[in-house]
Amino acid sequence: MVKSGFEQTIFRFATDHGFGYGLFAIGLAMLTGWLGRIIFRKD
């Protein structure tokens, strides 16, 4: 399978910088959860 464009960029970054990619994924998940809580909270 040949990857190109944005998918190739993400794949290469994840392969070359696994720890940083993991931290970014965790941070993005936390940010998404926090924003979801703010947007969908019931007062």
Side-chain angles (χ1 to χ4, degrees), residues 6-7 10 12-13 15 18 21 23 25 31 37 39-42:
F6 184 70
E7 182 181 352
I10 296 299
R12 184 169 292 160
F13 181 78
T15 303
Y21 180 75
L23 287 178
L31 177 65
R37 192 188 85 203
I39 294 170
F40 297 110
R41 71 176 160 186
K42 296 178 182 177

Side-chain angles (χ1 to χ4, degrees), residues 13-38:
F13 181 78
T15 303
D16 295 343
H17 309 286
F19 185 73
Y21 180 75
L23 287 178
F24 175 75
I26 291 169
L28 185 61
M30 291 174 66
L31 177 65
T32 303
W34 178 73
L35 284 174
R37 192 188 85 203
I38 297 296

Side-chain angles (χ1 to χ4, degrees), residues 1-15:
M1 175 183 270
V2 176
K3 297 179 184 349
S4 64
F6 184 70
E7 182 181 352
Q8 173 64 28
T9 303
I10 296 299
F11 175 77
R12 184 169 292 160
F13 181 78
T15 303

